Amino acid sequence: MKLVSGLTISQIKEYLEDKEENMEWLLNLAYTCYESDDYVTAFSLYNILAEHGNCTAQCNLAWMYAHALGTERNDIFAASWFVRAIEQGYDTAVNMAKRCDANVHFNLGFI
């Protein structure tokens, strides 16, 4: 599957493994895709970054799961990614999770 600039998912993963400082560039690329309503590409990029431990990507991926942006809605996955970001001390994840509906809150233990 080709993503942005003709890169494949495996090439992006190699890019991250070779140079962790490239994470910020990919995070900005994911955000640009999201803002351009290219949710499928943004979701793919955020997913890769989240798996590499980026708390911003984890939070944004959770939001996308909670709102079915670029993927099917999945409240359990949304809660799981919010928790990972929160566990890293990413306060924005708490605020974003609170803006989701009761199903995500239930899976997070807010209710």
Side-chain angles (χ1 to χ4, degrees), residues 24-102:
E24 192 66 31
W25 180 81
L26 286 172
L27 190 62
N28 288 332
L29 181 59
Y31 179 77
T32 299
C33 291
Y34 182 93
E35 288 296 306
S36 301
D37 297 334
D38 183 359
Y39 298 125
V40 172
T41 302
F43 179 86
S44 295
L45 292 170
Y46 282 137
N47 191 51
I48 292 166
L49 291 161
E51 289 176 359
H52 275 79
N54 184 283
C55 58
T56 302
Q58 291 169 342
C59 184
N60 292 341
L61 185 64
W63 183 264
M64 294 183 82
Y65 270 121
H67 295 90
L69 298 170
T71 188
E72 291 183 21
R73 181 182 171 130
N74 189 315
D75 296 328
I76 294 170
F77 286 170
S80 173
W81 283 112
F82 276 131
V83 166
R84 291 179 194 190
I86 291 166
E87 286 174 343
Q88 291 191 67
Y90 191 61
D91 294 334
T92 301
V94 174
N95 297 328
M96 287 178 70
K98 288 179 179 178
R99 292 174 43 206
C100 292
D101 71 17

